[in-house]
Amino acid sequence: MIDVNAHVLLIYTGGTIGMIENLETGALEPFNFSHLRSNVPEMKRLNFQVDTYIFDPLIDSSEISPDKWREMVEVVKSHYDDYDGFVILHGTDTMSYTASALSFMFENLTKPIIFTGSQLPIGKLRTDGKENLITALEIAADKDVDGHPVVPEVCIYFQNLLLRGNRTTKVNAENFNAFTSANFTNLAEAGVTIRYNTSVILRPDYSKEVVFYESFDDCIAVLKIFPGIPAGVVSAILNVENIKGVVLETYGSGNALTDEWFLSELEKAVKRDIVIVNVTQCLYGLVAMHRYEPGQDLLKTGVISGYDLTTEAAIAKLMYLFGLKKSPSEVRQLMQTPLRGEMNMDDD
């Protein structure tokens, strides 16, 4: 039920949705987003109030960084009591990273934070941006029968689907259905009506305040295994100066090469208190290192399972936990503990 008294803050950080084509050069350039309503006249028909906040300078999706995530957290934090929900317009290339990161930065979140964007600029005739924007705003304003937000989570809304932010991956650079949540169900589907899957939506404790976090530690690396990977590459990544955590992308259900040199490098890194988290290169499925001998060998070195964490969520979670100044042993434990609905540990 859309609350006619709802007050939603629309935060424009950058991205394709806010671009306009330069008629002389054909290049896409940011337009003055204060003219949003003239480019999206459908917003005039919304029966609730929408204010806008514009990042200056705007952020290209490929330039996103933990510093920019902190800015977004600060914007939401400083306006949290004034609005019923937030919609963040963001470039699609790194949207899953940002949505994952922000999901960890709010504990006991009591209001919706909906990321959206588009594959075509909002000024294009065939743009997907208008529907994405209008529906994201409606979701941010939606309340249940008790007057609470229907979706008090960090989400991505794209091409008729509402997805948990830290469960998403961008899978298509050409089509409008750019994102998927491969190992978790959709939170909602928008058709003639918006059909919410209320049984899986996270519920906060409304008697408690939201807790904001703004510290990230980006001393993280990703090591993707491939056939023939040189020993020097593995060693270089595991010995990066000040490295604290490594996301190890393995085959299938968490398997990798069993060469002695490889296992030795991992074991030495773990003994130096580097947290190594095993995630699968597969889009669907999860890590279950006990199933096969190569996975069991990884377990013996001290590598921990990331279960069905996406790479984006694993990176963000490591940055968040080390940003809290947790010890390596605490990080290992919490990386294997669901904090914001980011993982399923059922590997049977």
Side-chain angles (χ1 to χ4, degrees):
M1 179 177 63
I2 303 296
D3 182 357
V4 297
N5 297 313
H7 203 177
V8 176
L9 182 61
L10 176 62
I11 303 168
Y12 177 49
T13 69
T16 298
I17 193 170
M19 298 292 183
I20 192 169
E21 187 175 1
N22 184 312
L23 296 180
E24 293 184 2
T25 66
L28 294 178
E29 301 172 349
F31 71 84
N32 186 341
F33 217 72
S34 63
H35 298 306
L36 173 66
R37 292 182 185 274
S38 63
N39 285 273
V40 191
E42 293 85 351
M43 287 186 64
K44 297 176 182 178
R45 300 173 61 183
L46 295 173
N47 58 355
F48 54 88
Q49 186 171 344
V50 178
D51 294 337
T52 56
Y53 181 98
I54 305 168
F55 269 55
D56 185 17
L58 296 174
I59 311 167
D60 185 276
S61 181
S62 61
E63 297 294 332
I64 205 69
S65 67
D67 285 340
K68 302 302 181 184
W69 295 338
R70 293 185 192 98
E71 288 184 42
M72 294 179 204
V73 172
E74 184 56 40
V75 170
V76 173
K77 179 181 178 181
S78 61
H79 294 88
Y80 196 78
D81 294 334
D82 301 322
Y83 293 92
D84 297 284
F86 303 85
V87 172
I88 301 179
L89 300 181
H90 190 290
T92 59
D93 286 349
T94 54
M95 189 184 291
S96 288
Y97 289 94
T98 300
S100 295
L102 262 66
S103 75
F104 295 111
M105 305 311 283
F106 303 99
E107 184 178 336
N108 198 48
L109 182 66
T110 58
K111 298 179 180 181
I113 300 176
I114 313 298
F115 281 86
T116 195
S118 67
Q119 297 284 64
L120 284 176
I122 210 161
K124 288 281 191 179
L125 184 62
R126 294 181 53 252
T127 184
D128 54 327
K130 289 185 179 182
E131 192 280 327
N132 287 347
L133 173 57
I134 294 296
T135 306
L137 288 168
E138 289 190 341
I139 291 170
D142 227 352
K143 300 288 182 67
D144 61 22
V145 294
D146 297 318
H148 295 310
V150 176
V151 191
E153 289 198 36
V154 177
C155 304
I156 288 178
Y157 177 78
F158 225 87
Q159 190 65 10
N160 303 324
L161 298 178
L162 183 70
L163 312 172
R164 178 167 294 159
N166 56 32
R167 288 288 197 151
T168 63
T169 295
K170 184 177 180 182
V171 293
N172 204 314
E174 295 292 330
N175 295 338
F176 289 153
N177 55 338
F179 294 90
T180 191
S181 177
N183 293 304
F184 191 71
T185 187
N186 305 327
L187 300 186
E189 296 184 17
V192 175
T193 61
I194 301 174
R195 300 180 301 279
Y196 293 101
N197 190 355
T198 54
S199 64
V200 299
I201 294 173
L202 297 177
R203 295 297 170 194
D205 183 344
Y206 286 103
S207 68
K208 298 180 180 179
E209 296 292 323
V210 61
V211 180
F212 302 91
Y213 299 97
E214 298 176 53
S215 297
F216 286 99
D217 190 324
D218 58 5
C219 292
I220 306 300
V222 176
L223 174 56
K224 183 170 185 173
I225 301 304
F226 58 89
I229 186 170
V233 170
V234 174
S235 178
I237 292 175
L238 295 178
N239 287 281
V240 171
E241 186 177 3
N242 297 323
I243 198 74
K244 296 180 180 179
V246 173
V247 177
L248 180 68
E249 289 193 350
T250 57
Y251 310 130
S253 57
N255 302 312
L257 56 162
T258 57
D259 298 54
E260 184 178 347
W261 67 263
F262 177 72
L263 297 174
S264 176
E265 286 286 356
L266 293 177
E267 189 171 14
K268 286 188 292 185
V270 170
K271 287 181 178 179
R272 297 197 308 272
D273 272 340
I274 295 174
V275 178
I276 305 178
V277 183
N278 187 354
V279 302
T280 177
Q281 296 177 18
C282 298
L283 183 59
Y284 293 87
L286 76 167
V287 165
M289 289 191 285
H290 63 274
R291 287 184 184 171
Y292 301 103
E293 186 175 350
Q296 294 172 7
D297 288 340
L298 293 179
L299 273 174
K300 293 174 184 176
T301 68
V303 172
I304 63 173
S305 176
Y307 298 95
D308 64 352
L309 278 173
T310 64
T311 295
E312 296 92 333
I315 292 169
K317 191 173 182 180
L318 282 170
M319 288 185 177
Y320 161 70
L321 292 174
F322 281 117
L324 294 179
K325 308 300 182 185
K326 298 290 185 182
S327 69
S329 61
E330 290 174 316
V331 172
R332 288 189 183 93
Q333 177 186 355
L334 291 169
M335 284 300 297
Q336 298 179 94
T337 304
L339 301 179
R340 306 286 192 271
E342 74 279 6
M343 62 194 297
N344 174 21
M345 298 178 63
D346 184 8
D347 62 354
D348 293 333

